[in-house]
């Protein structure tokens, strides 16, 4: 039986670290069951390390957002000075050996394995019961969120197309107890059922409601709304979205922030310390250069741009349009646009919160869900987002597919760069538009929403190592 190399490598390094650090100090990211599950204090240390892995640039701190955005047709990578970062996403040129797939896979399973260790021992731990309940809820949410991201990136087909399509291996026990067990790809149904189960339990356990740097009850409610949206369970999606947004008024004065630091509309995001600072390998490093008056100049990669066609989707009186700057004004370049939506806090490279959920998204989930059973309710939910940005906005009169396309377009305008991008195209069955003359490196001007190239490959090292996954189980574009 073949050993699972991708996980074994990580655990091998961890075990070496544990042997050394057992007499020294605990490893920061990977955790050991014997050390970590004795009491609420040690469990919290393990949870903190697991958040750091989740927020890593190799996973949810950068790679997942970059993949979703540059594969969407809305964004592009500059032809020059791109250092080849994310070109394989942008040009749909991934291979099964690509680190742009394997790093996401490895990091996600590190989070999952850490959560599994905590969940296996937390019920025997000593400490304050309310604190332990919160920590258990966070561990469940960390596992569920990581499986959500894996499903988004690696599922052979979307849930709405085929609930029985191959998804990812489903591991819910500590890896140490299954060292010799090879695990096959589970189905979408199996993975999403586990996600749903974890989040529902977490919603009952987590009492803290408004922590922005860690998963709160409100964040779990938002994640449940996302899950039910993916599953096409429209009434449940709307119910949980409302539970999360709580009819909070979207404040026009907050339109310029909340993308790189917390504000009143932030539901969940990542805190970064000096130790966590990824400098050039950070989200704002790729999106931001300077504000239109050249203030706040910060040198990063600044290689993610937007097509004029995307920018022209915004009405001239849409407050969100101010974020776009024609790069010819600063670079004498090709006329694509960069955005200063995602800035560096205090104009310091990489000093930014990574905001992963905002209230406006919940209104848009409510709108999309209700478009399938309550169109008046959908229009009203949509209007909450539109009227905040556009002073002259009026309540939509669209219905049916036209209403869904209006909601899809509003999601693009409101949430660009926040990790949705191509995932919205796939869920809402809208083809990728690559017709802009500013696109390069891939010749097709349109890509079908269900094209196999929009899914990441199962890492070849996983196939080689896992006795329950063969080349025939690889996603279609990479066999």
């Amino acid at each position: 039986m073949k050993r699972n190399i991708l996980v074994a490598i990580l655990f091998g390094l961890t075990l070496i670290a544990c042997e050394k650090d057992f007499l020294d100090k605990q490893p920061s990211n990977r955790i050991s069951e014997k050390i970590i599950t004795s009491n609420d204090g040690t469990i919290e240390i393990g949870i903190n390390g697991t958040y750091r892995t989740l927020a890593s640039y190799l996973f949810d701190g950068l790679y997942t957002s970059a993949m979703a955005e540059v594969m969407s047709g809305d964004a592009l990578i500059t032809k020059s000075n791109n250092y080849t970062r994310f070109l394989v996403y942008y040009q749909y040129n991934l291979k099964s050996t690509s680190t742009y797939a394997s790093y996401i896979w490895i990091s996600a399973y590190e989070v999952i394995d850490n959560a599994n260790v905590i969940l296996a021992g937390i019920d025997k731990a000593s400490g304050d019961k309310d604190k332990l309940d919160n920590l258990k809820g966070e561990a469940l949410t960390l596992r569920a969120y990581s499986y959500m991201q894996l499903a988004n990136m690696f599922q052979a087909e979307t849930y709405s197309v085929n609930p029985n399509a191959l998804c990812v291996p489903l591991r819910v026990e500590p890896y140490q107890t299954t060292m010799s067990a090879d695990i096959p790809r589970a189905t979408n149904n199996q993975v999403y059922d586990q996600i749903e189960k974890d989040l529902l339990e977490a919603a009952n356990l987590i009492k803290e409601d408004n922590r922005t740097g860690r998963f709160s009850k409100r964040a779990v409610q938002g994640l449940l709304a996302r899950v039910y949206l993916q599953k096409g369970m429209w009434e449940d999606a709307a119910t949980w979205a409302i539970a999360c947004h709580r009819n909070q008024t979207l404040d026009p004065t907050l339109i310029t922030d909340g993308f790189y630091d917390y504000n009143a509309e932030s539901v969940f995001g990542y805190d970064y310390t000096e130790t966590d600072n990824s400098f050039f390998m950070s989200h704002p490093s790729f999106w931001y250069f300077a504000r239109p008056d050249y203030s706040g100049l910060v040198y990063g990669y600044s290689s993610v741009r937007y097509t004029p066609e995307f920018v022209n989707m915004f009405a001239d009186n849409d407050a969100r349009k101010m974020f776009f700057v024609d790069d010819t004004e600063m670079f004498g370049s090709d006329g694509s646009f960069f955005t200063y939506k995602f800035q560096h806090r205090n104009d310091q490279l990489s000093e930014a919160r990574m905001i992963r959920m905002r209230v406006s998204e919940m209104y848009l989930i409510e709108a999309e869900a209700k478009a399938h059973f309550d169109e008046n309710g959908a229009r009203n939910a949509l209007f909450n987002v539109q009227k905040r940005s556009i002073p002259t906005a009026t309540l939509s009169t669209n219905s049916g597919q036209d209403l869904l396309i209006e909601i899809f377009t509003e999601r693009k305008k409101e949430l660009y760069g926040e990790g949705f991008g191509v995932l919205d195209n796939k869920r809402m069955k809208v083809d990728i538009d690559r017709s802009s003359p500013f696109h390069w490196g891939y010749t097709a001007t349109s890509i079908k929403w269900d094209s196999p190239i929009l899914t990441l490959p199962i890492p070849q090292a996983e196939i080689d190592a896992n006795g329950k996954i063969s080349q025939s189980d690889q996603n279609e574009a990479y066999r």
Side-chain angles (χ1 to χ4, degrees):
M1 182 178 290
K2 295 181 292 183
R3 296 180 65 214
N4 189 318
I5 290 174
L6 281 182
V7 178
I9 288 172
L10 285 170
F11 267 85
L13 292 173
T14 302
L15 292 173
I16 292 168
C18 283
E19 288 174 5
K20 175 180 181 295
D21 294 342
F22 187 80
L23 301 175
D24 183 6
K25 64 179 181 178
Q26 181 182 323
S28 59
N29 288 4
R30 206 75 184 188
I31 63 176
S32 163
E33 184 173 358
K34 290 181 180 179
I35 299 173
I36 212 68
T37 58
S38 58
N39 60 68
D40 55 8
T42 56
I43 290 172
E44 183 154 28
I45 292 171
I47 289 284
N48 289 341
T50 304
Y51 275 112
R52 289 179 66 183
T53 301
L54 181 66
S56 162
Y57 73 87
L58 298 172
F59 187 23
D60 210 46
L62 176 60
Y63 275 29
T64 55
S65 294
M67 174 268 184
E69 198 68 7
V70 303
M71 294 179 84
S72 70
D74 305 323
L76 57 92
I77 300 293
T78 54
K79 285 185 179 181
S80 59
N81 300 318
N82 58 51
Y83 300 90
T84 72
R85 295 289 186 183
F86 308 124
L87 281 184
V88 291
Y89 293 148
Y90 176 60
Q91 297 176 348
Y92 312 97
N93 192 30
L94 283 153
K95 294 178 171 36
S96 61
T97 54
S98 172
T99 56
Y100 284 100
S102 62
Y103 283 162
I104 292 174
W105 182 277
I106 291 170
S107 300
Y109 278 107
E110 182 176 335
V111 174
I112 290 163
D113 290 330
N114 284 357
N116 287 341
V117 168
I118 291 168
L119 292 168
I122 195 169
D123 289 340
K124 300 174 186 176
S126 61
D128 179 79
K129 183 181 184 305
D130 287 342
K131 182 176 181 181
L132 286 168
D133 282 348
N134 271 296
L135 292 169
K136 184 176 182 179
E138 287 184 84
L140 287 163
T141 308
L142 284 160
R143 181 169 72 183
Y145 184 80
S146 296
Y147 273 125
M148 288 173 68
Q149 293 296 65
L150 283 170
N152 283 337
M153 305 289 159
F154 293 96
Q155 61 192 170
E157 298 176 274
T158 58
Y159 188 101
S160 62
V161 171
N162 184 2
N164 294 313
L166 290 177
C167 195
V168 296
L170 185 61
R171 183 165 59 245
V172 294
E173 300 292 336
Y175 182 81
Q176 292 93 325
T177 67
T178 57
M179 281 293 285
S180 62
D182 296 319
I183 301 174
R185 293 182 71 177
T187 65
N188 279 335
N189 250 333
Q190 292 168 324
V191 173
Y192 275 97
D193 283 353
Q194 184 65 49
I195 292 168
E196 181 182 358
K197 178 183 176 183
D198 283 353
L199 291 176
L200 288 172
E201 185 176 357
N204 289 323
L205 288 169
I206 296 177
K207 303 298 188 297
E208 297 189 44
D209 205 35
N210 283 301
R211 293 185 303 179
T212 44
R214 294 172 68 156
F215 287 119
S216 64
K217 180 181 286 291
R218 192 179 194 186
V220 173
Q221 291 165 339
L223 292 176
L224 279 162
R226 289 181 184 177
V227 168
Y228 290 124
L229 192 71
Q230 290 283 2
K231 296 182 74 171
M233 298 174 65
W234 309 122
E235 293 188 13
D236 288 323
T239 296
W240 284 104
I242 293 167
C244 183
H245 72 57
R246 304 173 187 183
N247 297 312
Q248 179 178 338
T249 300
L250 299 178
D251 186 347
T253 66
L254 299 180
I255 196 71
T256 60
D257 60 15
F259 309 113
Y260 55 95
D261 206 349
Y262 302 132
N263 67 14
E265 295 174 9
S266 306
V267 178
F268 172 65
Y270 303 127
D271 290 320
Y272 286 107
T273 66
E274 285 187 22
T275 304
D276 300 320
N277 194 317
S278 300
F279 295 101
F280 289 102
M281 292 304 295
S282 65
H283 190 278
S285 172
F286 285 87
W287 268 259
Y288 178 78
F289 179 68
R291 291 182 282 274
D293 61 358
Y294 294 89
S295 65
L297 176 64
V298 179
Y299 287 101
Y301 282 99
S302 304
S303 56
V304 176
R305 298 282 196 278
Y306 287 86
T307 69
E309 291 79 4
F310 177 74
V311 174
N312 288 336
M313 290 170 53
F314 295 79
D316 288 341
N317 66 340
D318 188 327
R320 297 167 298 191
K321 195 169 188 176
M322 68 181 169
F323 288 124
F324 294 102
V325 179
D326 187 332
D327 72 1
T328 57
E329 297 175 22
M330 291 190 176
F331 295 102
S333 189
D334 59 6
S336 59
F337 290 77
F338 69 85
T339 179
Y340 66 95
K341 177 180 179 181
F342 307 103
Q343 301 182 39
H344 307 263
R345 294 171 65 232
N346 305 315
D347 295 334
Q348 296 297 310
L349 180 63
S350 187
E351 287 292 328
R353 314 293 189 199
M354 184 66 178
I355 310 302
R356 304 306 280 136
M357 184 182 293
R358 298 188 294 116
V359 172
S360 60
E361 181 204 343
M362 294 299 117
Y363 278 109
L364 292 168
I365 289 179
E366 181 191 357
E368 184 180 339
K370 284 187 173 179
H372 295 273
F373 68 92
D374 174 12
E375 289 192 340
N376 284 332
R379 296 184 192 102
N380 285 320
L382 176 63
F383 189 53
N384 278 299
V385 179
Q386 294 171 322
K387 69 182 180 182
R388 190 259 289 270
S389 301
I390 307 171
T392 59
T394 57
L395 189 69
S396 175
T397 59
N398 284 325
S399 61
Q401 185 63 22
D402 289 339
L403 177 58
L404 283 168
I405 290 297
E406 184 179 6
I407 294 165
F408 168 81
T409 303
E410 195 62 32
R411 282 186 64 92
K412 290 284 188 181
K413 292 189 289 186
E414 178 69 16
L415 303 175
Y416 74 88
E418 297 181 42
F420 301 100
V422 71
L423 306 179
D424 282 352
N425 289 79
K426 293 169 69 174
R427 186 187 68 259
M428 300 188 76
K429 303 179 180 179
V430 179
D431 293 346
I432 308 300
D433 183 1
R434 290 269 302 196
S435 62
S436 172
F438 292 86
H439 282 304
W440 63 282
Y442 185 81
T443 57
T445 59
S446 180
I447 302 170
K448 290 289 293 180
W449 62 268
D450 59 351
S451 171
I453 66 174
L454 302 179
T455 297
L456 300 189
I458 304 300
Q460 190 61 46
E462 181 71 34
I463 295 174
D464 293 342
N466 191 329
K468 294 292 182 67
I469 299 179
S470 67
Q471 197 62 40
S472 63
D473 298 316
Q474 175 63 278
N475 288 328
E476 180 182 341
Y478 312 101
R479 290 175 193 159

